[in-house]
Amino acid sequence: MASVLRIDVDDPNVDMDHAQRLLCRGEPFTGEVAEYQSGQLISLDEYTDGILNGQSYEWYQDGTLRSEGIARDGRTGGDSKEWHPNGSLKSRKSFDSAIASLREEETWDEHGVPLTSWRRDDG
């Protein structure tokens, strides 16, 4: 199995072009883009040809998962989740993959108590 190339978003060889594609050494990048804060990994995103395309993750400074989602061709698609710092689920969103439009959303407080629930009526 081939290893995935990973770069640090703060690397001086990483830039964006006029089309907002991520470049590494002047070329559209394919692989994982990591961001670190005080040596701790705080985000990891997958890119294809300089475009956000695949899994995206964020962590709190203590390493607790903060969010996860997926993008296709630079647009949010599928389900995304966000957690409170204590690890309890904060929100869940579902997007139409074809048009990156929000279909439904649920939110909870840090104790797991439901706050909101919304679903788009396509009827």
Side-chain angles (χ1 to χ4, degrees):
M1 183 160 86
S3 65
V4 175
L5 184 59
R6 181 182 287 184
I7 60 172
D8 186 330
V9 72
D10 293 322
D11 184 305
N13 294 309
V14 174
D15 201 359
M16 297 290 266
D17 68 7
H18 65 284
Q20 296 301 301
R21 292 179 305 170
L22 187 92
L23 306 177
C24 184
R25 295 183 175 84
E27 297 294 322
F29 179 75
T30 296
E32 296 178 337
V33 178
E35 182 177 5
Y36 298 88
Q37 191 174 70
S38 302
Q40 176 72 33
L41 180 65
I42 60 166
S43 73
L44 186 63
D45 300 306
E46 294 178 353
Y47 279 76
T48 303
D49 296 324
I51 306 294
L52 187 60
N53 192 51
Q55 291 293 133
S56 288
Y57 299 96
E58 291 181 316
W59 292 269
Y60 289 103
Q61 190 68 35
D62 69 358
T64 302
L65 188 61
R66 181 180 188 149
S67 68
E68 70 176 13
I70 194 161
R72 293 287 179 237
D73 297 322
R75 291 190 248 161
T76 301
D79 290 337
S80 67
K81 295 178 182 176
E82 187 176 356
W83 288 268
H84 290 282
N86 69 0
S88 66
L89 191 59
K90 180 177 185 177
S91 71
R92 186 190 60 77
K93 298 177 183 178
S94 292
F95 293 86
D96 256 322
S97 296
I99 57 173
S101 176
L102 187 61
R103 275 195 334 246
E104 61 183 87
E105 178 179 24
E106 295 175 281
T107 61
W108 297 267
D109 73 10
E110 60 275 0
H111 304 291
V113 176
L115 298 174
T116 64
S117 182
W118 173 86
R119 178 172 283 155
R120 184 178 69 211
D121 182 11
D122 291 332

